[in-house]
Amino acid sequence: MQIRAARRADVPVILELIHELAIYEKEPDAVKNTPEALEQHLFGDHPAVFAHVLEDNGTVQGFALWFLNYSTWEGVHGIWLEDLYVRPEGRGRGYGKALLRSLAQLAVDRGYARVEWCVLNWNEPSIQFYKSLGAEPMDDWTTYRLTGGALDEFGAAEPGQTRTV
């Protein structure tokens, strides 16, 4: 087993794993990402998204896709884990734990304050796995999201408004 930073050549398999994750999360038609977009975000001039892959016997079995967040209270960065996925045939072999440990080690080495992620409320196997690692749910917080029409409407310039961003 080897965990390494993703390379450009990994883009097709990472996108394949993203599709598998969407199926697992009961959203098989939700992925709009493309190989070109993923490559640009991971390996463009100013990447703001990063990925690690886990290989076993030369085959990618899982990935972790993440980016930096920032704690205003701590005054340091943290890691936001956007996706962690291990192929079904690789589950139970310690791959997910190894991927998460690699991010925790990266956070410790760089002096980051935390590694955070979300989990679907129905995903009890993952919830139990995360708890077994010492992760705790943030029960006092609820994730909110603006998307689609609501984002377009709220983000539209009001009459006479000049955008400053």
Side-chain angles (χ1 to χ4, degrees):
M1 172 176 56
Q2 174 194 12
I3 296 174
R4 60 172 173 76
R7 299 185 289 246
R8 284 183 193 269
D10 296 317
V11 167
V13 73
I14 293 171
L15 193 55
E16 180 182 319
L17 294 169
I18 290 169
H19 281 278
E20 288 182 24
L21 174 60
I23 292 167
Y24 177 77
E25 292 186 348
K26 303 175 183 171
E27 294 282 346
D29 300 320
V31 178
K32 295 179 177 90
N33 208 344
T34 65
E36 297 80 17
L38 186 58
E39 181 174 346
Q40 178 61 34
H41 291 290
L42 287 170
F43 303 106
D45 290 339
H46 304 286
V49 180
F50 311 93
H52 286 99
V53 296
L54 183 141
E55 287 182 325
D56 196 359
N57 293 320
T59 302
V60 174
Q61 292 292 326
F63 80 108
L65 192 134
W66 58 278
F67 52 88
L68 294 179
N69 59 18
Y70 182 76
S71 170
T72 57
W73 291 8
E74 297 283 339
V76 296
H77 284 292
I79 290 175
W80 180 266
L81 175 60
E82 181 65 18
D83 287 330
L84 174 71
Y85 181 74
V86 173
R87 294 184 189 267
E89 62 271 18
R91 294 183 191 147
R93 296 183 179 175
Y95 296 163
K97 186 175 186 177
L99 281 163
L100 264 175
R101 186 180 306 272
S102 73
L103 294 183
Q105 290 169 336
L106 184 67
V108 169
D109 290 349
R110 293 183 181 179
Y112 298 163
R114 59 182 77 141
V115 177
E116 296 180 286
W117 62 92
C118 288
V119 62
L120 290 164
N121 292 332
W122 59 259
N123 193 348
E124 196 59 34
S126 293
I127 290 168
Q128 292 308 313
F129 166 65
Y130 298 143
K131 285 182 177 180
S132 77
L133 304 177
E136 299 177 0
M138 296 183 62
D139 293 331
D140 294 339
W141 294 82
T142 300
T143 302
Y144 283 84
R145 178 179 291 169
L146 272 174
T147 188
L151 175 62
D152 293 340
E153 183 177 332
F154 190 67
E158 294 192 28
Q161 178 187 24
T162 303
R163 292 184 190 253
T164 58
V165 179

